[in-house]
Amino acid sequence: MRWRSREKKRLGPGCAVWEITLTCNLNCIHCGSAAGKKRSDELSTEEAFDLCDSLKDIDCKGVALMGGEPLLRTDWVDISERIHDLGMELSIITNGWLGQNDKVTEQIVDLSPECVTISLDGGEASVHDMIRGVDGSFKRATQALERYASLGLPTTVITTVHKLNLNQLVKIRDYLRGIGVAWQIQMASPFGRLERHHVLSPEEYYSVAMFIASTRKLYSKEILVAGAHDMGYFSNILPELQVKDWQGCQAGISILGIQSNGNILGCLALGDDFIEGNVRSRTLQDIWNDDGSFVYSRHYKKEDIKAQCRPCGFKERCGGGCSAVSYSMTGDLHQDPYCTRHIEKSMKS
């Protein structure tokens, strides 16, 4: 008997995260896609338009364009306009390198995106540029951030935390306070370029959780900060950390991942082992509505919950935490070792 089986009728995803190109002008240490050069088989403009139509057909609510660096794809504006014309919300995730390009800025303003997100991984140039692999990337990112915010664009910063920038969080916060942006903090996992020895320890991870909770409590009027899907999970000590009620991995439920060649995943952070199909050989509608797709999140069974998650009283709701972190750290699902509740329990023993 299956445990916590999802309904057969599928609602559309709230957001599709679409890596429209692997082309990138930076060389980030923690890049999960190991971006740089474009795939030889990236979708053409017409194929991208067809995919936009298919996203609308499955009732997708919004599309976040990322890369690589999405603004380096020559038809990014055309794809963005198609998303808008179909009535889906548009978000853009960029490294900010082109933020001082007047034409690009004008194009973004004209598109009126739901959100423009810029990656910022250090509170000073020496750290951010080292992580991003290109000198001047900190200056470019902060200039873009300030410019977009001053133009009234809804602007968010993403910081991906690992051992190389854990000590930068306070500096980043001091810089961001009062600019008028939101801030998402997420943990780097060992896939793509990131080497395992750079991953946070559970204790360091918990320090990030405490930082988020304290920032939300002390600076809520100056900056809106949130942990990403890999932060939190029913803490006994940090109520300020609970941004939303975690209901388990949303890959293939409310989130969809799309690679630049049309491969479909529940979440791009899961990688190629979790490709459900390709839109060139199978329609997106068929992949999304197939009851055999995304079984790890849609139809996990009681016996699938493993390790420290098995005895937890929240396992039915949680499902073992973030699938991407669980798989990259343990080689299996439903046993995410980075759980605030589990870490708190370990502290007492």
Side-chain angles (χ1 to χ4, degrees), residues 51-111:
L51 181 50
C52 290
D53 294 343
S54 295
L55 286 166
K56 182 63 176 180
D57 288 343
I58 64 170
D59 198 27
C60 180
K61 301 299 187 294
V63 182
L65 301 183
M66 64 171 291
E69 172 50 47
L71 305 185
L72 292 177
R73 179 163 168 148
T74 57
D75 58 358
W76 74 269
V77 173
D78 300 319
I79 296 172
S80 299
E81 289 176 340
R82 185 71 161 219
I83 292 166
H84 252 317
D85 291 346
L86 290 167
M88 295 180 287
E89 295 178 346
L90 170 70
S91 299
I92 299 170
I93 303 171
T94 173
N95 60 34
W97 188 266
L98 297 176
Q100 291 302 303
N101 183 302
D102 291 338
K103 180 180 179 181
V104 170
T105 299
E106 182 179 346
Q107 290 170 324
I108 293 175
V109 171
D110 288 344
L111 287 166

Side-chain angles (χ1 to χ4, degrees), residues 19 58 85 139 164 205 244 254 293:
E19 166 215 275
I58 64 170
D85 291 346
K139 182 179 180 179
L164 296 173
Y205 169 88
K244 60 181 180 179
S254 65
S293 296

Side-chain angles (χ1 to χ4, degrees), residues 322-346:
C322 172
S323 293
V325 174
S326 180
Y327 191 73
S328 64
M329 293 303 301
T330 73
D332 208 344
L333 299 172
H334 309 296
Q335 54 181 11
D336 181 354
Y338 288 81
C339 165
T340 54
R341 191 177 185 87
H342 172 63
I343 295 170
E344 288 164 357
K345 185 177 179 181
S346 299

